Amino acid sequence: MSNSVLFGVLGGMGPLATLDLLQKIIEITPAKRDQEHLPVVTWNVPQIPDRQKAYAGTGDSPLPELLHAIEQLNKLNVSYIAIPCNTVHYWYPQLAQASKASILHIVDIATEYIASLQPRPKKVGIIATKVTLDTGMYQQRLAKLGIEAIILSEHELNELFIPGCYAVKRGENVLGGELFQELATALIDRGAEKLILGCTEIPVALKTIDSPLLSLSIDPAYALAEHCVKLWQQAQGTEQLVID
Amino acid sequence: MSNSVLFGVLGGMGPLATLDLLQKIIEITPAKRDQEHLPVVTWNVPQIPDRQKAYAGTGDSPLPELLHAIEQLNKLNVSYIAIPCNTVHYWYPQLAQASKASILHIVDIATEYIASLQPRPKKVGIIATKVTLDTGMYQQRLAKLGIEAIILSEHELNELFIPGCYAVKRGENVLGGELFQELATALIDRGAEKLILGCTEIPVALKTIDSPLLSLSIDPAYALAEHCVKLWQQAQGTEQLVID
């Protein structure tokens, strides 16, 4: 019964967004019994300094706690590590260097997903933290696909995105959803054909309010979940997952 | 930022029931930000031989895989281990003996919860696996409280419970919910004032169909989640959680 593959999840940022990834993995997996589901170990330890504040220079670095989590997951001999938090990929190089297990890069995987869309959108809006937007992790990859990125203004970040993000973190998903929906609408008004939900709190909140904009959304956490399921199926030698 | 307490969850039986416990822990915790949520490491590895078949003598024992999971969680120095599966508590003595971390006993915790109910019910129905019912883990504890247990017949187990349980395990939560609701109704007809949902698949399925019988139900996974949150708050020295 030992597993050929064991998935590690470095979560906690936030804890609910971590469960959202785990839920998506289970929903996507075409399992007929317990044993056909992915083996996943999740480090959902949210005692990590705030990533947005660290980047803004107003809080401690999350790196020591992130490296500790990577070390703990590697102790269990995980094969891959998924991190359901876009922002934390700012520290990806240091984490990848410290990890024996391969760390799946959520932005690379989301970009592959976007590249596969038919028809490929010409303009894509990005809702994300200032860290994610400033580093250009999405914009650079979209540019290589010939896609124009439409991003949040400083005002939208401060007045809508940040309050929305922290609302979800304290469990006020409806308020968060409404704020994110306002942002999404603004990006569509500026020409976005699709929206990247570039912070894992966003799909959780939009789902809570059953937002119609979910149909225009690209959810990197979903792409990450799908990628994990494909890796699992490849390891099992079963047929490729057909995603509708 | 290191934690005074780290929770371990031995999950995978099934994987969705494990997420249900994690979700309950987050919902119950009165956190205002990520860092106030419980630090939880979850071993959600469902490649464990089927517990019901092992007990029936028609499958391998799950014990080696369970002991491996306990060993892995202890490697990470967890303080407590919660197991969101009633059936597997049949093997509790062997797991407790092998674990440095204290293993929280779901049936003990559910019984404490029942003992605190005002008014205390006189007759309680138990929906659970044959393993859980045969070993009398709930009946013996209820008897000490002067509560009569009303359990499933062999026919109900085979024709309704087992199909319901495996339906949830393959993702057919509506079918599972309908079968469990039929069982719950039968136990109420035989005099049960409250129902113990003594298998972690049951609340998942009844929630899916939004069953009115949830209001009469005692969910051991909820009691376990609440117990974890209380332990966390005690460790933090914060005020006791008030559950409505």
Side-chain angles (χ1 to χ4, degrees), chain A residues 18-198:
Chain A
T18 303
L19 292 202
D20 183 57
L21 173 72
L22 300 176
Q23 185 89 34
K24 281 168 179 152
I25 290 175
I26 291 177
E27 282 171 5
I28 294 171
T29 309
K32 294 270 178 251
R33 54 195 192 104
D34 284 355
Q35 290 78 5
E36 292 171 10
H37 280 283
L38 276 69
V40 183
V41 186
T42 303
W43 179 266
N44 202 359
V45 176
Q47 285 70 38
I48 307 177
D50 187 290
R51 287 65 62 194
Q52 297 183 64
K53 289 179 184 160
Y55 179 77
T58 58
D60 292 337
S61 169
L63 193 56
E65 290 299 327
L66 291 169
L67 289 171
H68 177 68
I70 293 288
E71 186 189 349
Q72 299 302 301
L73 286 169
N74 274 290
K75 265 193 200 171
L76 304 187
N77 293 316
V78 297
S79 327
Y80 301 101
I81 296 176
I83 311 179
C85 171
N86 292 265
T87 303
V88 92
H89 284 71
Y90 174 63
W91 291 274
Y92 180 89
Q94 294 95 313
L95 302 183
Q97 196 174 22
S99 181
K100 190 171 152 237
S102 165
I103 304 183
L104 306 173
H105 196 304
I106 194 170
V107 186
D108 282 342
I109 291 167
T111 308
E112 277 171 33
Y113 181 89
I114 294 166
S116 74
L117 291 175
Q118 292 293 345
R120 187 179 289 178
K122 290 189 178 61
K123 293 183 180 185
V124 169
I126 309 171
I127 311 178
T129 62
K130 184 170 166 59
V131 191
T132 301
L133 293 176
D134 275 5
T135 56
M137 54 177 103
Y138 275 104
Q139 298 93 308
Q140 288 161 11
R141 288 168 175 85
L142 290 176
K144 284 188 189 162
L145 297 177
I147 297 172
E148 184 186 334
I150 301 179
I151 65 170
L152 306 179
S153 67
E154 197 76 17
H155 178 79
E156 286 168 334
L157 260 173
N158 293 330
E159 302 302 318
L160 298 168
F161 178 78
I162 293 175
C165 185
Y166 288 101
V168 178
K169 287 179 182 301
R170 61 176 187 269
E172 294 181 30
N173 289 7
V174 172
L175 172 61
E178 286 165 354
L179 292 167
F180 292 142
Q181 186 162 266
E182 193 174 334
L183 279 176
T185 306
L187 292 176
I188 289 168
D189 287 348
R190 298 214 288 277
E193 299 153 47
K194 292 272 183 186
L195 299 164
I196 295 175
L197 310 182

Side-chain angles (χ1 to χ4, degrees), chain B residues 5 10 33 54 78 81 105 110 121 130 150 156 171 197 201 204 220:
Chain B
V5 177
L10 195 176
R33 55 195 192 105
V78 297
I81 295 176
H105 196 303
K130 185 170 165 58
I150 300 178
E156 286 168 334
L197 310 183
E201 317 288 0
V204 173

Side-chain angles (χ1 to χ4, degrees), chain B residues 72-99:
Chain B
Q72 299 302 302
L73 287 169
N74 275 289
K75 265 191 196 169
L76 303 186
N77 292 317
V78 297
S79 326
Y80 301 100
I81 295 176
I83 312 179
C85 171
N86 292 264
T87 303
V88 92
H89 284 70
Y90 174 63
W91 291 274
Y92 180 89
Q94 294 96 312
L95 302 183
Q97 197 176 22
S99 181

